[in-house]
Each structure stands twice: as C-alpha cells, then as structure tokens.
Amino acid sequence: MQLEPISVGDYSFWSLFLRSDWVIKGVMAILVLASIWSWVVAIDKFIMIRMLRRRATDFEDTFWSGRTLDELAVALGGDTRDPMARVFAAAMREYNESGTVQRVGSQSATHERIDSVMNLVINRELAKTEKGLPVLGTVASISVFIGLFGTVWGIMNSFRAIAASENTNLAVVAPGIAEALFATALGLIAAIPAKIFYDMYLTDIDKYGGRLEGYADELSAILGRKLTKGG
C-alpha cells in the first residue's frame, strides 16, 4: 500500500507532523506521550480518591455505630483495605500490646506510643496517595518549555527556508511557522490539564489527610480515656 503524497497546502495536524524534521517530530512525540501519561495518572487518581472517600465514610459509619473498640476490632478482622481502618488496627495493636505487658511505664508514655504509631501509619498512607503526583507536576512545569523549544526550532526552519530560497513568500515560511505554532499548542495541551489535575488532587489529598488526622485525634482521645480508667 503506497501512501499518498502530502500536499504543500495541507496543514492538518498529521501533515504537519509528517512534514516536520526529526527534531520537531521528537518534540511532538514527547508532548503527546507526556499528555497521555498525565491523563492516565489523573484518571487513576480520580478513581483512587473517590474510593478512599467512600471507604472512609463506610468505616466512620461503622466506627460510630455504637460498638466497643474491641467489638469493632473483632468485626474488622484482617480487612484493613481502608487507610482509616489501618490507623485503627495499628492503634489497637499498640494498645493491646501495652496491656499485655501490664502497661510498663506511665499511661502518658503508652498514649504517646499510640499517637506515634498512628502518625507513622498516616504518613505512610498519605505517601501512597501522593504517588503519581510528581508526574503531573513535572508535565505541567516542563511541557511548555519543550513546546517552546519546538517553536524556536520551527521558526529557525522558516528562516533557513527564506535564506535558501531568497524568497519571503508565505508559501516558503508557512510550513515552519505552522510547525512552530503546533509545537506550542501541544505544549499547552499537555501542561494545562496536568497543572489543573495536580492542584486539584493535591488539595483533595490534603483534605483527606486532614480527615485521617482528625479521626486519629478522636481515636487517641477515646484510648486516652480507656487508659485513664485502666482499660
């Protein structure tokens, strides 16, 4: 199968890509791949954050259903898919282990260990939720500059064409200028959504982190009262 020759007057995106030199092709390919990568990460983050919110709501409903902490721990069993459930499990494990050794040390020391364990779990869980965000931040910050490089290169090609033909006719400079503008557009297409997603998900994760910390504070207060009463 033989490909049809590209018309000089054809300025479709595909024609601009095929007609450009290897540098512009490389710039365009990088920007397209960066855009696709950022959308994949963005969709994955959307699903993850939505799932985290739903699971947190379900766990909070169960937690405040009137069961004792021991009953909740038994009902939870090994099902700790939700970060909030993992915070609870870690706190209860530390609390029970402190009780097993007859609460060696003061009650305040035990309480501090519980708080420390919960903070470690929260930090670990938040680190998991932030995976992929650097991709969005990187695409948002460098795509414009990659597109700008393609823009400069395309304009240089236009000047070379003028020098070679000694003609400033639009037909001579138009291809290079079109390639330059196309590279600029691709840079913006990659950078703008990535920046929007980055800021949006960073805010969502901060809010979720605050929700986890708020729950940890409530659980810490409950366990603190149990320690004061002697279990």
Side-chain angles (χ1 to χ4, degrees):
M1 181 178 178
Q2 187 174 3
L3 294 176
E4 295 182 2
I6 301 172
S7 171
V8 176
D10 185 359
Y11 291 100
S12 65
F13 294 155
W14 182 242
S15 297
L16 287 173
F17 175 78
L18 293 178
R19 194 162 49 219
S20 61
D21 63 13
W22 65 272
V23 174
I24 299 294
K25 281 187 173 73
V27 168
M28 292 179 180
I30 290 172
L31 292 173
V32 169
L33 290 175
S35 181
I36 293 172
W37 192 10
S38 67
W39 275 97
V40 170
V41 172
I43 293 171
D44 177 69
K45 286 296 168 193
F46 174 80
I47 295 171
M48 181 202 70
I49 291 174
R50 186 174 180 180
M51 186 178 299
L52 286 175
R53 287 172 175 168
R54 179 174 56 81
R55 287 179 175 174
T57 300
D58 292 342
F59 180 81
E60 286 174 333
D61 290 342
T62 303
F63 184 81
W64 297 110
S65 62
R67 300 181 185 181
T68 66
L69 294 182
D70 292 332
E71 289 173 343
L72 184 59
V74 172
L76 185 63
D79 185 12
T80 54
R81 292 173 296 172
D82 176 59
M84 201 169 283
R86 286 193 278 271
V87 171
F88 171 78
M92 289 302 296
R93 184 165 54 249
E94 182 64 29
Y95 174 83
N96 291 328
E97 288 176 356
S98 297
T100 301
V101 296
Q102 298 180 346
R103 311 207 189 286
V104 174
S106 65
Q107 294 174 347
S108 61
T110 300
H111 199 184
E112 288 177 3
R113 287 198 301 272
I114 293 172
D115 287 342
S116 178
V117 166
M118 287 195 293
N119 287 332
L120 287 173
V121 174
I122 289 173
N123 291 335
R124 185 166 61 243
E125 295 302 324
L126 290 179
K128 291 178 183 178
T129 63
E130 290 172 357
K131 285 183 179 178
L133 281 184
V135 172
L136 296 178
T138 301
V139 172
S141 61
I142 69 171
S143 293
V144 174
F145 295 104
I146 295 175
L148 182 60
F149 172 75
T151 302
V152 173
W153 193 268
I155 293 174
M156 288 173 57
N157 286 340
S158 295
F159 283 124
R160 290 193 191 99
I162 292 173
S165 64
E166 297 182 354
N167 187 351
T168 59
N169 190 286
L170 183 61
V172 175
V173 299
I177 293 176
E179 293 167 9
L181 295 177
F182 187 34
T184 303
L186 285 178
L188 294 174
I189 289 171
I192 292 174
K195 177 61 175 174
I196 292 173
F197 288 133
Y198 178 80
D199 291 342
M200 181 175 67
Y201 292 140
L202 193 62
T203 300
D204 289 341
I205 290 173
D206 285 343
K207 288 180 180 178
Y208 182 75
R211 190 174 181 179
L212 272 180
E213 290 170 357
Y215 168 74
D217 290 341
E218 293 172 342
L219 181 57
S220 176
I222 295 172
L223 291 175
R225 287 194 294 269
K226 285 176 67 67
L227 286 171
T228 302
K229 294 176 182 179

